[in-house]
């Protein structure tokens, strides 16, 4: 179930990824925008990699992939809150600090979304991000998502409740990203 793009391999997480997951999930920017435990320990990462991510896939509720760039762990991307009856899923991601600003997350989000819509037959992929997270909002737009509005007080981050900008790509949207 690997997905390849021009520069990336989206692959299953491995136990050897635990130190990188720990570092990435502990990063100040990642912590600011995601509802992760603080401090984020190797034990949290090990549980995520060895139990939670495989359980999401086995249950059909989603899937988690590592972003691998030139052999290096560059981040995590996932499909979650998957509703097979409605054919809707949500995408989420975070990127290691040293790999931000290279367009890798946009490439990964576009590829995983296209895969979900075309290969799995989903009708809609949603992306929800706090409006203040400018980088993630840029990823959404550059990945071909359309802003639908803002859901007030709809999310939680470590510091409390936040609004969430709601984006979507649907099967009938043209792929204007140029990324396949």
């Amino acid at each position: 179930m690997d997905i390849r793009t021009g520069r990336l391999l989206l692959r299953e997480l491995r136990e050897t990824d635990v130190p990188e997951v720990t570092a990435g999930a502990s990063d100040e920017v990642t912590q600011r925008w995601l509802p992760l435990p603080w401090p984020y320990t190797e034990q949290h990462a090990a549980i995520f990699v060895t139990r939670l991510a495989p359980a999401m896939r086995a249950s059909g509720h989603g899937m988690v992939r590592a972003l691998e760039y030139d052999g290096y762990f560059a981040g995590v991307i996932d499909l979650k809150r998957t509703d097979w009856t409605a054919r809707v899923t949500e995408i989420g991601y975070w990127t290691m600090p040293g790999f931000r600003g290279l367009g890798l997350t946009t490439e990964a989000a576009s590829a995983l979304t296209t895969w979900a819509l075309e290969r799995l037959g989903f009708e809609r992929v949603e992306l929800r991000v706090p409006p203040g997270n400018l980088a993630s909002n840029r990823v959404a737009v550059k990945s071909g998502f359309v802003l639908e509005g803002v859901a007030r007080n709809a999310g939680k981050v470590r510091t409390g409740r936040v609004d969430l900008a709601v984006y979507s790509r649907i099967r009938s949207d043209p792929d204007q990203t140029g990324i396949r």
Side-chain angles (χ1 to χ4, degrees), residues 104-118:
L104 300 176
T105 310
T106 298
E107 188 172 325
S110 181
L112 187 57
T113 300
T114 298
W115 181 80
L117 293 170
E118 293 180 2

Side-chain angles (χ1 to χ4, degrees), residues 135-173:
S136 279
N137 280 273
R138 280 192 301 272
V139 166
V141 172
K142 289 182 177 181
S143 302
F145 283 79
V146 174
L147 178 63
E148 296 182 336
V150 175
R152 297 180 310 140
N153 200 31
K156 185 175 181 329
V157 296
R158 192 180 86 226
T159 57
R161 304 290 305 176
V162 293
D163 295 345
L164 293 176
V166 179
Y167 292 87
S168 71
R169 264 182 61 189
I170 61 173
R171 186 194 293 255
S172 61
D173 286 343

Side-chain angles (χ1 to χ4, degrees), residues 7-25:
R7 301 183 295 167
L8 293 169
L9 170 63
L10 306 182
R11 60 161 175 81
E12 283 187 299
L13 289 168
R14 303 175 185 140
E15 284 191 53
T16 55
D17 294 326
V18 168
E20 286 86 0
V21 170
T22 304

Side-chain angles (χ1 to χ4, degrees), residues 3 5-10 27 29-30 34 65-69 72-79 91-114 125 127-129 133-145 169 177 179-180:
I3 299 170
T5 71
R7 301 183 295 167
L8 293 169
L9 170 63
L10 306 182
D27 173 70
V29 173
T30 305
L34 294 178
R65 289 289 176 263
L67 278 69
E68 187 175 301
Y69 173 66
Y72 293 97
F73 181 91
V76 172
I77 192 164
D78 63 6
L79 296 176
I91 193 167
Y93 44 77
W94 58 260
T95 309
M96 295 291 284
F99 295 94
R100 293 180 184 144
L102 302 175
L104 300 176
T105 310
T106 298
E107 188 172 325
S110 181
L112 187 57
T113 300
T114 298
V125 177
L127 195 160
R128 297 169 184 260
V129 58
N133 187 340
L134 301 180
S136 279
N137 280 273
R138 280 192 301 272
V139 166
V141 172
K142 289 182 177 181
S143 302
F145 283 79
R169 264 182 61 189
T177 64
I179 301 169
R180 287 263 174 195

